[in-house]
Amino acid sequence: MSILCNLKNLSLNFGLKTIFNKAQLTVNVGDRIGLLGLNGKGKSTLFKILNGEVTPDHTTPPFEFHKARGEDNQRFSLFYVPQELPLEGNEHLTINDYLFVFYPELKVMFENNLEDFEQHHGWDLISNYESFLKYFNLLDLDKLVSELSGGEQKKILLSLGLSSMANLILWDEPTNHLDIETIRLFEDELNSCQKAFMLITHDRYLLSKLTKRILHIQNGVIESFSGSYTDYLQFLEESEHSKMKLLEKLRNNLDREQAWMRQGVKARRTRSKKRVENFNELKDKVTTIVSSAKRNLELNLSQSNRQTKVLASFSDMSFAYPGSEKLLFESLNGEIQKGNKIGLLGNNGVGKTTLLKLILEELRPTSGQLKTAEGLKVQYFSQKRDELETESTPYQVLGDGSDFVELPDGSKRHVFSYFESFLFHRNDIHRPLKTFSGGEKSRLQLALNLTRIGDILIFDEPTNDLDLETIQILEEKLGAFPGAVILISHDRTFLSTVTNKVWLLEAGKLQNFEGGYEQVAPYLEALEMERDLK
């Protein structure tokens, strides 16, 4: 297999924080790679190193970055698709013109030398870009990018990445803010793509279907696994089982050796020097295995002791925004009971967030009724991190100036211990939030949210920016939560695991399904096929 690029002796430190320590990486032609790792451990940083935006530390031996210089599809070329559309300074651009933000050299050719522009395949690039925009239903290409929703801006990024002629495409959370139908379209395109790609995503369904190789960043190195994401999970499970068996064996040996080490003075005088050295090595092994074993993230979801079965209900509910003659939706019927885990589905712009605001009583129905149980406590967790002031520290956010965090069950926990239970290092508790990654901020927001009491917990895209380890534990805790949960999410695996009921909002109507996403998925696929035939 031909090598596209090879990185050796990659080291990078931000202050006292080590991101990479003599890491190695090889990318081959046609690789389909899923890049994993906890938030803040270097996934996006690796992309920026590959793209030349971040320079590794000077070391001995020095960092090496070898790039293939063969012909056509054997030559190294790269296109980096970031998480967010760079808008600063580009607000005045239309969708059509936005292409040149990523290709400034082509813009110069287009304005000064069309022959050079054509020789560099400029017309082909424009044609492919516009074709993908239309494929994702962005039809008004003269619209300003600043006027687009988050999902529409994401579609521009998808179109840029899919139309690129580079041999390695880096995708950083490509499915955030997208509806499930658009994710399926993207998945189909990427599945048929012959180019190498590297994918950072929390969408396990996407990882399982698309990747053939897994890279995992941990402890400053990049571990490589040949196989799908599903194969990798099985490997991890077997490794964890083997690790725990080894740990048990080592602990038994350690107990025996500790008993020997604690013998009296006479025994210590006749002690074998080699056996003492072996004891210390054994101790180090146990410490290493314990520290590398999976840490358990403590998420405490608390609810009131309410006995009411129906928490909220709405009947014949319609809504239109003031000044608009068109109803966003009409004659909606539904109820929320204790124990419901509801997935709220629908394409971008159909009114999912508006429906949540009605349940929160931030908006009032235009007509119909909305009833809520007396004294109902509803917690809404937005996908935005508006509460986190960038100059604040986790100590200030969680403890609010106190050494203890008050939890919904009435107990208190030391702020350092609570902070560490969300997979943070205690040394980071006084770091300003502006130095935290997006994923670390999401995890901290989760820690803050879960100090609050509620009968209904509403999550708007809760998995955005969270690493897979945190998502899996959040799934477990949401499933065990005795109150009601409403989820807006594009993460199909997350929805399948958590939900036991689905609301589908489409064309101004709400369909209720008694069953989780797993049961509704075939119906959604049938709807998509029906639309394609029209």
Side-chain angles (χ1 to χ4, degrees):
M1 187 176 289
S2 300
I3 295 176
L4 266 184
C5 66
N6 192 13
L7 279 68
K8 295 182 179 179
N9 309 316
L10 169 59
S11 294
L12 183 66
N13 294 274
F14 293 144
L16 298 176
K17 185 177 182 180
T18 297
I19 305 298
F20 296 108
N21 182 21
K22 299 179 182 177
Q24 317 286 328
L25 170 65
T26 298
V27 180
N28 301 303
V29 172
D31 262 348
R32 302 159 73 89
I33 299 171
L35 181 59
L36 309 183
L38 283 170
N39 292 133
K41 297 300 181 183
K43 299 190 296 294
S44 293
T45 301
L46 178 61
F47 276 12
K48 291 175 181 177
I49 290 170
L50 288 166
N51 200 39
E53 297 176 40
V54 171
T55 303
D57 295 341
H58 294 287
T59 57
T60 304
F63 168 68
E64 299 178 29
F65 189 176
H66 300 290
K67 305 174 184 178
R69 304 186 183 280
E71 296 295 323
D72 299 328
N73 67 333
Q74 305 295 312
R75 184 191 303 118
F76 176 81
S77 55
L78 179 145
F79 190 84
Y80 172 36
V81 185
Q83 286 190 34
E84 304 291 341
L85 202 67
L87 283 180
E88 189 173 352
N90 303 314
E91 297 90 344
H92 62 290
L93 293 177
T94 64
I95 297 174
N96 222 353
D97 293 337
Y98 196 83
L99 173 76
F100 290 121
V101 171
F102 282 75
Y103 296 95
E105 70 287 353
L106 281 179
K107 182 181 180 183
V108 174
M109 294 179 198
F110 182 76
E111 293 174 344
N112 298 288
N113 191 326
L114 286 178
E115 187 175 338
D116 280 354
F117 182 77
E118 185 170 358
Q119 287 179 353
H120 285 80
H121 307 288
W123 295 118
D124 291 337
L125 184 63
I126 287 176
S127 176
N128 289 338
Y129 172 62
E130 292 180 353
S131 176
F132 278 114
L133 289 170
K134 292 172 183 175
Y135 177 66
F136 292 120
N137 204 33
L138 286 180
L139 304 179
D140 183 2
L141 303 188
D142 292 323
K143 195 172 182 179
L144 296 178
V145 292
S146 57
E147 297 175 356
L148 302 178
S149 68
E152 289 171 325
Q153 291 178 12
K154 202 70 174 184
K155 289 178 180 179
I156 293 178
L157 287 171
L158 298 188
S159 302
L160 285 164
L162 292 170
S163 62
S164 170
M165 297 179 184
N167 291 326
L168 174 60
I169 313 296
L170 307 180
W171 296 97
D172 196 347
E173 294 288 0
T175 60
N176 279 4
H177 310 298
L178 293 179
D179 55 64
I180 291 174
E181 183 178 353
T182 304
I183 293 173
R184 285 202 191 99
L185 294 175
F186 170 66
E187 181 186 296
D188 289 343
E189 286 301 315
L190 209 56
N191 207 26
S192 61
C193 176
Q194 300 302 310
K195 299 170 184 175
F197 63 79
M198 199 178 296
L199 187 67
I200 298 174
T201 181
H202 60 268
D203 188 331
R204 287 154 293 173
Y205 190 87
L206 202 68
L207 279 171
S208 298
K209 291 203 70 173
L210 296 178
T211 59
K212 301 296 183 186
R213 184 179 168 205
I214 298 296
L215 298 178
H216 194 168
I217 302 174
Q218 54 184 352
N219 301 321
V221 299
I222 305 170
E223 298 177 352
S224 179
F225 175 83
S226 295
S228 69
Y229 176 66
T230 306
D231 295 334
Y232 183 63
L233 289 181
Q234 186 176 351
F235 165 76
L236 284 182
E237 186 176 344
E238 291 170 355
S239 288
E240 193 68 19
H241 181 67
S242 299
K243 188 184 295 180
M244 297 311 294
K245 285 182 68 176
L246 175 61
L247 181 59
E248 184 179 358
K249 180 179 177 182
L250 287 174
R251 276 180 172 152
N252 290 336
N253 290 342
L254 184 62
D255 289 342
R256 186 173 60 251
E257 294 301 300
Q258 277 182 322
W260 179 77
M261 288 285 286
R262 288 170 182 158
Q263 289 178 20
V265 175
K266 183 178 180 180
R268 285 201 299 271
R269 287 175 183 162
T270 60
R271 180 173 295 153
S272 160
K273 181 181 177 183
K274 180 64 175 174
R275 192 167 178 182
V276 173
E277 290 175 352
N278 288 343
F279 169 76
N280 290 328
E281 288 179 12
L282 186 62
K283 204 173 175 183
D284 289 341
K285 278 184 183 179
V286 172
T287 302
T288 300
I289 290 177
V290 170
S291 64
S292 66
K294 289 180 181 175
R295 296 175 63 189
N296 193 18
L297 180 61
E298 292 182 22
L299 303 183
N300 295 304
L301 299 178
S302 295
Q303 80 294 336
S304 66
N305 294 319
R306 174 183 301 280
Q307 300 301 312
T308 312
K309 185 178 180 182
V310 177
L311 302 176
S313 64
F314 46 90
S315 57
D316 295 323
M317 185 171 71
S318 300
F319 181 80
Y321 279 100
S324 174
E325 296 179 0
K326 184 179 179 182
L327 289 171
L328 184 59
F329 40 69
E330 60 178 325
S331 302
L332 302 192
N333 296 285
E335 67 177 22
I336 305 166
Q337 298 184 7
K338 286 187 68 173
N340 283 163
K341 308 297 189 299
I342 302 169
L344 176 54
L345 307 183
N347 291 340
N348 291 336
V350 297
K352 297 190 297 294
T353 301
T354 300
L355 177 56
L356 295 183
K357 288 182 178 179
L358 286 163
I359 294 170
L360 287 162
E361 298 186 288
E362 293 178 5
L363 296 174
R364 298 180 67 85
T366 304
S367 62
Q369 285 188 325
L370 170 66
K371 296 179 180 179
T372 58
E374 186 177 351
L376 183 73
K377 292 182 172 63
V378 183
Q379 294 291 352
Y380 173 60
F381 306 133
S382 167
Q383 57 180 298
K384 297 180 180 178
R385 318 300 173 204
D386 298 335
E387 292 182 84
L388 302 180
E389 296 289 339
T390 58
E391 297 300 326
S392 298
T393 67
Y395 179 82
Q396 294 168 322
V397 169
L398 296 176
D400 196 24
S402 169
D403 284 341
F404 290 89
V405 178
E406 293 190 17
L407 300 176
D409 62 2
S411 64
K412 290 186 178 182
R413 187 166 181 183
H414 198 281
V415 66
F416 278 93
S417 172
Y418 187 68
F419 181 62
E420 286 181 302
S421 73
F422 284 82
L423 303 182
F424 291 105
H425 193 284
R426 66 166 45 209
N427 291 344
D428 293 332
I429 200 166
H430 293 298
R431 271 174 53 202
L433 297 185
K434 63 184 178 184
T435 66
F436 280 60
S437 71
E440 287 175 314
K441 289 176 185 175
S442 296
R443 207 183 318 149
L444 186 65
Q445 181 74 58
L446 190 61
L448 179 62
N449 290 346
L450 297 179
T451 62
R452 297 164 179 167
I453 196 167
D455 299 303
I456 302 175
L457 306 181
I458 299 177
F459 290 89
D460 191 350
E461 296 292 359
T463 62
N464 278 0
D465 301 320
L466 289 181
D467 53 71
L468 292 174
E469 290 88 340
T470 307
I471 291 171
Q472 288 165 346
I473 297 172
L474 178 59
E475 285 172 347
E476 178 186 332
K477 298 302 180 182
L478 286 178
F481 177 62
V485 176
I486 303 176
L487 301 168
I488 293 179
S489 179
H490 64 272
D491 187 327
R492 289 162 289 181
T493 307
F494 184 73
L495 287 168
S496 295
T497 304
V498 176
T499 60
N500 57 25
K501 186 173 182 177
V502 168
W503 288 347
L504 176 61
L505 192 56
E506 185 178 45
K509 302 291 185 181
L510 185 69
Q511 296 188 65
N512 288 269
F513 295 89
E514 295 299 329
Y517 178 78
E518 196 73 29
Q519 286 75 35
V520 179
Y523 172 75
L524 297 176
E525 290 180 13
L527 279 182
E528 185 181 341
M529 291 170 63
E530 187 179 56
R531 280 192 292 267
D532 291 341
L533 291 172
K534 289 181 180 179

